[in-house]
């Protein structure tokens, strides 16, 4: 159940479609809806890995995206007196940063609405909730339905970002990661958590928002998650061609996850073989 107190809301007219809400308490729960399967488009032939300059976009990537429906965006600050709130408001324009991050997520996970292979979740609104809590951030559906999302972001974490020069990039990076969870598929909740988090960090990586401590390392299983899996996915994106992670995401929409069938039918190899190739290329 969700407990929502009386809330002060400041609404801004379109085209921004941004609402700022400030309240004291709220409890949310998440739900998920299954999608009707459709065929997965055929995969590309393998291509050679090419190094890219930071921030460089492929020519065809620049032609992707656009005209995606934009969700209603809301900001809810639970404690304006928290030092993390002041740092957040001084470091980013919440509307501009969140809107740009939504567009980046849509561009990287989906081609365009004109493409019949594009099947994007119907996310109607995203509320960013800044509150004092443990951890970093998490995303959930709302009591209304799963088309309305909430991203809970820790004011305590924001306050402890060091050095201060990292505030803007770190806030943007975390928001980008969490927004992926508003737009990715999860194989009807059977997808390994490490792959879910790896796709989110892969988008963050492709947006040039990786923090300084991230590095390409191969110790541990492929689905260890987060940046560990993100770099593996980036290897696959280069090896099999642009759009590979999109195709992974689309296949997660179409069917329940079984490792052997999933990877072999999509990329022609088991995930163990693919990860072994990645490890060998990384040494």
């Amino acid at each position: 159940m969700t407990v929502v107190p009386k809330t002060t809301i400041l609404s801004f007219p379109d085209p921004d479609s941004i609402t700022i809400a400030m309240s004291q308490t709220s409890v949310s729960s998440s739900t998920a809806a299954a999608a009707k399967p459709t065929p997965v488009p055929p995969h590309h032939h393998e291509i050679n890995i090419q190094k890219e300059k930071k921030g460089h976009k492929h020519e065809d990537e620049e032609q992707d995206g656009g005209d995606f429906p934009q969700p209603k965006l809301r900001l809810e600050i639970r404690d304006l007196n928290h030092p993390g709130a002041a740092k957040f408001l001084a470091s980013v324009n919440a509307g501009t940063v969140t809107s740009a991050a939504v567009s980046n997520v849509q561009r990287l996970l989906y081609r365009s609405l004109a493409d019949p292979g594009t099947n994007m979740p119907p996310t109607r609104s995203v509320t960013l909730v800044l509150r004092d809590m443990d951890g970093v951030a998490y995303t959930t559906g709302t009591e209304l339905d799963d088309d309305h999302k909430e991203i809970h972001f820790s004011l305590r974490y924001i306050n402890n970002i060091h050095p201060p020069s990292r505030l803007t990039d770190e806030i943007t990076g975390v928001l980008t990661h969490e927004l992926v969870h508003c737009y990715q598929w999860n194989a009807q909740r059977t997808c390994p958590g490490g792959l879910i988090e790896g796709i989110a960090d892969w988008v963050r990586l492709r947006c040039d928002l990786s923090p300084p401590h991230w590095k390409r390392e191969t110790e541990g299983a492929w689905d260890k998650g987060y940046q560990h899996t993100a770099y593996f996915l980036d290897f696959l994106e280069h090896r099999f061609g642009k759009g590979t992670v999109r195709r992974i995401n689309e296949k997660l929409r179409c069917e329940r996850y079984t490792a052997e069938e999933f990877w072999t039918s999509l990329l022609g190899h088991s995930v163990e073989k693919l990860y072994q190739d990645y490890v060998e290329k990384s040494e």
Side-chain angles (χ1 to χ4, degrees):
M1 296 294 293
T2 300
V3 180
V4 182
K6 184 177 180 181
T7 303
T8 301
I9 299 176
L10 302 178
S11 297
F12 294 85
D14 289 334
D16 292 333
S17 296
I18 297 166
T19 301
I20 298 180
M22 299 175 188
S23 63
Q24 294 299 320
T25 59
S26 177
V27 179
S28 64
S29 60
S30 62
T31 59
K36 183 178 179 181
T38 59
V40 178
H43 63 267
H44 299 285
H45 296 294
E46 296 185 17
I47 62 173
N48 293 329
I49 298 175
Q50 297 180 350
K51 294 183 178 179
E52 299 179 2
K53 295 181 180 179
K54 183 177 181 181
H56 173 72
K57 295 181 181 178
H58 294 281
E59 181 178 349
D60 55 348
E61 183 175 280
E62 292 175 343
Q63 298 171 357
D64 291 352
D67 299 326
F68 287 117
Q70 298 300 299
K72 182 82 171 181
L73 300 176
R74 298 181 176 91
L75 173 63
E76 180 180 335
I77 303 176
R78 297 281 177 85
D79 184 359
L80 274 174
N81 291 321
H82 195 290
K87 289 182 179 181
F88 177 91
L89 293 171
S91 300
V92 298
N93 179 309
T96 300
V97 166
T98 309
S99 295
V102 167
S103 295
N104 282 332
V105 170
Q106 293 172 331
R107 171 179 60 84
L108 288 166
L109 291 185
Y110 303 95
R111 185 169 178 83
S112 73
L113 290 180
D115 183 349
T118 294
N119 298 281
M120 193 171 67
T123 300
R124 297 173 60 190
S125 73
V126 178
T127 300
L128 174 59
V129 180
L130 303 181
R131 64 187 183 89
D132 188 28
M133 67 179 193
D134 294 331
V136 181
Y138 68 88
T139 298
T140 182
T142 68
E143 182 187 48
L144 182 60
D145 60 49
D146 206 46
D147 294 346
H148 299 271
K149 305 289 188 180
E150 287 184 351
I151 297 174
H152 291 244
F153 198 167
S154 170
L155 286 172
R156 200 179 312 166
Y157 179 82
I158 294 170
N159 187 49
N160 289 326
I161 294 173
H162 293 290
S165 59
R166 281 280 310 151
L167 273 163
T168 299
D169 282 351
E170 183 63 15
I171 289 170
T172 306
V174 171
L175 286 177
T176 299
H177 174 107
E178 294 302 326
L179 281 164
V180 173
H181 296 324
C182 298
Y183 284 97
Q184 69 184 149
W185 297 104
N186 63 8
Q188 300 169 41
R189 294 197 282 185
T190 65
C191 181
L195 180 54
I196 291 290
E197 298 298 343
I199 291 173
D201 265 359
W202 176 81
V203 171
R204 180 175 179 176
L205 178 67
R206 294 289 288 193
C207 291
D208 297 313
L209 292 169
S210 56
H213 68 272
W214 280 20
K215 63 179 181 179
R216 188 185 301 273
E217 48 84 23
T218 57
E219 184 177 348
W222 73 270
D223 59 350
K224 190 176 177 180
Y226 297 98
Q227 73 268 22
H228 177 88
T229 302
Y231 282 109
F232 172 53
L233 292 172
D234 205 46
F235 164 79
L236 297 178
E237 181 82 1
H238 286 82
R239 176 173 171 178
F240 293 95
K242 180 191 169 291
T244 297
V245 175
R246 282 181 187 159
R247 288 168 40 233
I248 291 172
N249 180 58
E250 171 63 11
K251 194 168 178 65
L252 291 172
R253 181 187 72 86
C254 293
E255 60 194 56
R256 294 172 69 83
Y257 180 89
T258 55
E260 185 64 29
E261 188 282 332
F262 184 91
W263 296 98
T264 302
S265 65
L266 188 64
L267 300 178
H269 304 279
S270 69
V271 70
E272 291 80 13
K273 177 62 169 62
L274 293 168
Y275 189 67
Q276 180 183 352
D277 293 345
Y278 166 67
V279 171
E280 292 174 355
K281 291 283 188 181
S282 301
E283 291 178 347

